[in-house]
Amino acid sequence: MLARRRCPFCRSWFYPHPRLKDRQKTCGRSSCRREHKRLSNQSWRSQHPDYFQGTYPLQKEVYGTRADGKRRYRQQHPDYVQRNQVYVRNWRQQRRSKPLSPTSCDLHLKVGSTSTSIAIRQVSHTSRDIFVTLCPSTS
Ligand SMILES: [Zn+2]
């Protein structure tokens, strides 16, 4: 086992992963990893001060952001917008009307010594809850 080391961020002891060895700098907790990444990004930016003054701001000025480009494309290509509308409508309808395995049993339960089968009749959801309608299976 490798020698244990101290995490420079939370000061707790840890054993480095055997495959990472000396390259592991933190204890592995996500908050420590994030802090380590933040510091390494900071040092990289200070070593390359003109990197983010490169082409992107210039391109953004000329062509706009990605959202602007998409909006412009949709304005210039009404046929694309219509095609996409039809596609999305079909896709939504298909998703809504697709039955959930209407023929087969979905759940096989064994309560005590009697085994029973339950079919899932319908599944719907809100942003918070999932509603599952069950019914006893005939098979
Ligand atoms: Zn840590």
Side-chain angles (χ1 to χ4, degrees):
M1 189 179 260
L2 293 156
R4 65 176 192 163
R5 296 212 306 263
R6 233 182 221 285
C7 176
F9 301 102
C10 67
R11 307 298 301 154
S12 65
W13 290 100
F14 69 95
Y15 291 100
H17 190 279
R19 286 189 191 155
L20 293 174
K21 296 178 180 160
D22 284 345
R23 284 168 293 154
Q24 183 172 345
K25 309 295 182 202
T26 70
C27 65
R29 237 169 269 172
S30 63
S31 58
C32 297
R33 289 208 314 253
R34 204 175 307 124
E35 185 61 17
H36 179 249
K37 179 69 176 156
R38 193 184 67 77
L39 285 179
S40 82
N41 282 348
Q42 199 175 46
S43 88
W44 190 90
R45 281 197 305 271
S46 70
Q47 284 162 32
H48 305 85
D50 51 355
Y51 185 81
F52 289 109
Q53 270 99 56
T55 52
Y56 183 63
L58 298 175
Q59 285 179 345
K60 200 165 148 188
E61 216 167 277
V62 176
Y63 304 110
T65 62
R66 191 174 284 269
D68 294 335
K70 192 79 185 175
R71 201 173 302 124
R72 201 177 328 109
Y73 183 84
R74 290 178 76 92
Q75 274 165 9
Q76 287 166 0
H77 300 81
D79 55 322
Y80 161 76
V81 174
Q82 204 162 26
R83 203 157 14 100
N84 192 51
Q85 266 174 358
V86 170
Y87 174 79
V88 168
R89 198 180 306 126
N90 283 343
W91 178 76
R92 283 193 180 138
Q93 206 161 28
Q94 237 171 43
R95 204 181 59 161
R96 226 174 282 130
S97 65
K98 204 175 271 177
L100 197 95
S101 57
T103 52
S104 73
C105 256
D106 301 300
L107 284 173
H108 300 284
L109 302 172
K110 190 158 190 162
V111 183
S113 59
T114 57
S115 60
T116 174
S117 295
I118 294 173
I120 294 175
R121 180 53 64 75
Q122 191 190 4
V123 178
S124 59
H125 66 90
T126 63
S127 58
R128 234 192 64 201
D129 300 305
I130 298 174
F131 302 101
V132 181
T133 309
L134 303 172
C135 65
S137 173
T138 48
S139 64

